[in-house]
Amino acid sequence: MLQAISRGERQALRRLYERYADFAMAVGLRYVPRSDEVRDVLQDSFVKILTQVSRFSYRGEGSLKSWVGRIVANRAIDYVKERERLVLADQLPDTPDEPEPDDPEVEKVPPDVLTQMIGQLPAGYRLVFNLHVFEHCPHSEIARQLGIKENSSASQFFRARKMLARMINEYIKKQRL
């Protein structure tokens, strides 16, 4: 299929798009929570896939899926950095009056609801959280990619986890009522 895309065969590109569109949308929504904006990200991503396919070294279905996901994630990160105000500080004020949330029971939250919760995180938290959890990037790589200090990345991740844990616990509490 990838060779057919390189030759400009439109049906091959359509097959690639159909195979990975839902996956790409899920990746995009983790970074850009509004579906109308994610469509722009996906369009740009598939254009990049089309133009870069000759450089891709196919090592199985998993490698292709990972490559598509990485392109979508990178394009989504660029999109957020271009359009949203990122608050990525080395030191953010602590809120000592707030108790630490209990470890949430994430498995009790449907994936689409969890994606919406992640989308509600402030942009800086959301980027760091997604890069660390889903892309498995170490804080040193996140810091380099976002142009921040490594301890800023770790701090943003900690705060994102704390905020997400609160949202998950509140969701579970409401479901029990």
Side-chain angles (χ1 to χ4, degrees):
M1 171 176 34
L2 297 179
Q3 291 173 343
I5 291 171
S6 293
R7 290 190 304 265
E9 293 179 24
R10 296 181 69 113
Q11 289 296 356
L13 181 59
R14 177 179 291 286
R15 285 193 310 272
L16 179 77
Y17 178 80
E18 288 171 353
R19 181 179 294 169
Y20 292 108
D22 289 343
F23 169 72
M25 178 64 86
V27 170
L29 283 170
R30 286 197 312 256
Y31 294 92
V32 181
R34 291 168 298 281
S35 60
D36 57 325
E37 292 178 352
V38 171
R39 287 186 188 93
D40 292 340
V41 169
L42 293 185
Q43 181 176 354
D44 292 349
S45 298
F46 277 97
V47 167
K48 184 164 188 159
I49 290 165
L50 174 64
T51 60
Q52 304 275 321
V53 73
S54 62
R55 297 183 196 161
F56 175 71
S57 176
Y58 184 81
R59 294 178 308 273
E61 188 68 28
S63 69
L64 180 58
K65 185 175 183 177
S66 179
W67 182 63
V68 168
R70 194 73 203 131
I71 288 174
V72 172
N74 285 339
R75 183 58 202 120
I77 290 165
D78 291 344
Y79 187 91
V80 171
K81 285 168 51 176
E82 291 166 5
R83 288 170 177 77
E84 292 188 43
R85 182 172 178 266
L86 296 182
V87 178
L88 296 165
D90 290 334
Q91 296 295 324
L92 297 176
D94 286 322
T95 51
D97 298 339
E98 291 184 31
E100 286 291 317
D102 295 330
D103 284 338
E105 299 176 84
V106 178
E107 64 280 352
K108 292 186 175 183
V109 181
D112 61 321
V113 173
L114 189 59
T115 298
Q116 289 173 354
M117 288 177 184
I118 293 169
Q120 293 172 17
L121 295 172
Y125 288 14
R126 190 172 65 242
L127 291 180
V128 171
F129 182 85
N130 282 315
L131 285 167
H132 191 66
V133 171
F134 296 105
E135 308 302 328
H136 310 289
C137 291
H139 289 295
S140 58
E141 171 63 21
I142 295 168
R144 186 196 61 72
Q145 191 169 358
L146 299 180
I148 60 175
K149 293 181 181 175
E150 192 172 334
N151 63 345
S152 269
S153 175
S155 174
Q156 297 287 311
F157 177 71
F158 172 77
R159 292 178 191 324
R161 266 188 49 204
K162 190 174 174 180
M163 184 178 277
L164 192 57
R166 259 190 240 107
M167 286 189 262
I168 290 168
N169 287 332
E170 287 173 19
Y171 173 84
I172 291 169
K173 190 186 299 183
K174 286 180 184 176
Q175 296 305 307
R176 290 182 182 149
L177 296 180

